[in-house]
Amino acid sequence: MTKVIAISNPKGGVGKTTTVINLAASLAIAEKRVLIIDLDPSGGVSDGLDIKQEDIQHGVFEIFSGTATLAESIISMNYLSMDVIPANVYNSEAEIRLNEMAKNRIRLKRLLDQFIASDKNTYDYILFDTPPALNDLTIGVLMAANSVVVPLQCSFYALNAVERLLHMIKRIKRSANPELGILSILLNFYERGTRVSYRSASRAREIFNDYHISIIPKNAAIGFAAFEQRPIALVDVSAPGTQAYFELARKVMSAEKKHLPNYQVENLPTPRSEIFPQ
């Protein structure tokens, strides 16, 4: 059964798009088929995976306007088993219209349910990149998702900003989507040995003591992979950041209580190579 995961935080600059791309790649390396749906009008997923504007025929704008289906909007990547539905919102007028169409908050869930139930769906996971705002687009995703990964920056302000999101998740869980849960709180940009990161991790454990907490270390390879427009696993598989995303993927897959893959560094020599479970 396809699992729908929202990567969400109303604060910008916390690593949502980086998380979506690298979690998707880590799941794909573990032989899972993954679809990324980019609902952030800035289109960071397209930039991060080198999807050119001229290669996009349809995207989330056409899906919400009813002129294209989810299946018709999928762009297949030429590596790993991951595909993308891009955020083809190229000006402020289109962004305003998209936000207007998103006011029907249940529309996305209905479209997604239809797609998942159809023979066009071949995916194990669908990951949503959400806008840096608690707006109708984000709420629509939360109503459609099974679970949420909440990326945080290791800083005082980022920890405080997530309170509104947690409150909204609880409201939606009590009403429109009882299945919704928090899969992991993700501490990004963690610098071992610094007081800020230590305080951030300690504070996160106090605030989110009921939730699983994952840590992604601050790692030059993650930034370099963004310039290469590739997931970090295809740039430097031995980097600490890569291993941290592999661990996050294990957490995601452990929710299904299935046999987990043993990620082997030496088994990933080229972008098209895959790691098979032992």
Side-chain angles (χ1 to χ4, degrees):
M1 180 179 177
T2 304
K3 297 295 182 182
V4 181
I5 302 173
I7 313 298
S8 186
N9 188 325
K11 190 177 188 307
V14 296
K16 287 189 296 292
T17 301
T18 300
T19 300
V20 169
I21 290 171
N22 289 295
L23 175 57
S26 298
L27 291 168
I29 288 168
E31 290 194 283
K32 302 297 182 181
R33 284 194 51 77
V34 187
L35 174 64
I36 300 173
I37 302 180
D38 188 4
L39 279 188
D40 186 347
S42 67
V45 170
S46 295
D47 292 337
L49 292 175
D50 196 23
I51 300 173
K52 307 297 185 186
Q53 183 174 335
E54 56 267 24
D55 296 329
I56 299 174
Q57 300 296 318
H58 307 294
V60 295
F61 189 88
E62 286 77 19
I63 291 169
F64 274 87
S65 65
T67 57
T69 66
L70 272 81
E72 292 170 339
S73 305
I74 292 172
I75 294 177
S76 295
M77 305 306 297
N78 61 357
Y79 52 84
L80 301 178
S81 53
M82 53 187 281
D83 300 328
V84 176
I85 294 179
N88 56 335
V89 180
Y90 304 124
N91 53 60
S92 58
E93 181 182 350
E95 184 174 348
I96 291 169
R97 291 182 61 193
L98 178 62
N99 284 310
E100 284 295 319
M101 291 185 287
K103 289 186 181 298
N104 182 353
R105 295 175 175 177
I106 201 68
R107 178 173 175 77
L108 179 62
K109 177 174 173 56
R110 289 173 177 164
L111 292 171
L112 196 62
D113 286 346
Q114 291 171 8
F115 172 74
I116 290 174
S118 73
D119 57 3
K120 301 289 187 182
N121 174 36
T122 61
Y123 299 101
D124 299 296
Y125 294 97
I126 297 175
L127 306 185
F128 276 95
D129 189 10
T130 60
L134 200 53
N135 58 12
D136 292 311
L137 283 168
T138 299
I139 293 172
V141 172
L142 296 176
M143 293 178 73
N146 303 119
S147 57
V148 188
V149 172
V150 183
L152 295 173
Q153 187 178 14
C154 283
S155 73
F156 174 79
Y157 298 109
L159 288 169
N160 287 346
V162 80
E163 185 177 346
R164 288 174 56 242
L165 174 64
L166 298 183
H167 180 67
M168 179 58 69
I169 289 171
K170 290 177 181 178
R171 284 184 56 191
I172 292 173
K173 184 178 178 65
R174 286 197 302 265
S175 55
N177 186 4
E179 189 178 352
L180 184 65
I182 295 177
L183 185 60
S184 186
I185 304 293
L186 189 65
L187 283 178
N188 280 324
F189 315 111
Y190 183 87
E191 292 185 83
R192 185 185 300 274
T194 64
R195 286 183 292 178
V196 170
S197 289
Y198 176 79
R199 288 283 298 273
S200 296
S202 299
R203 180 66 175 151
R205 290 188 179 97
E206 292 174 9
I207 299 173
F208 311 117
N209 61 325
D210 293 334
Y211 307 115
H212 176 271
I213 296 177
S214 302
I215 289 179
I216 306 295
K218 188 173 184 180
N219 183 208
I222 296 176
F224 181 74
F227 276 104
E228 292 291 300
Q229 297 178 290
R230 294 268 183 169
I232 184 175
L234 302 186
V235 174
D236 185 353
V237 73
S238 63
T242 303
Q243 300 305 312
Y245 283 115
F246 283 171
E247 195 59 41
L248 178 61
R250 286 192 188 95
K251 168 59 184 175
V252 170
M253 291 182 287
S254 70
E256 300 178 77
K257 298 181 180 179
K258 293 182 179 179
H259 179 67
L260 300 184
N262 178 20
Y263 289 100
Q264 303 276 355
V265 171
E266 62 270 20
N267 288 349
L268 193 63
T270 66
R272 298 190 64 87
S273 298
E274 295 181 352
I275 299 171
F276 295 89
Q278 298 296 311

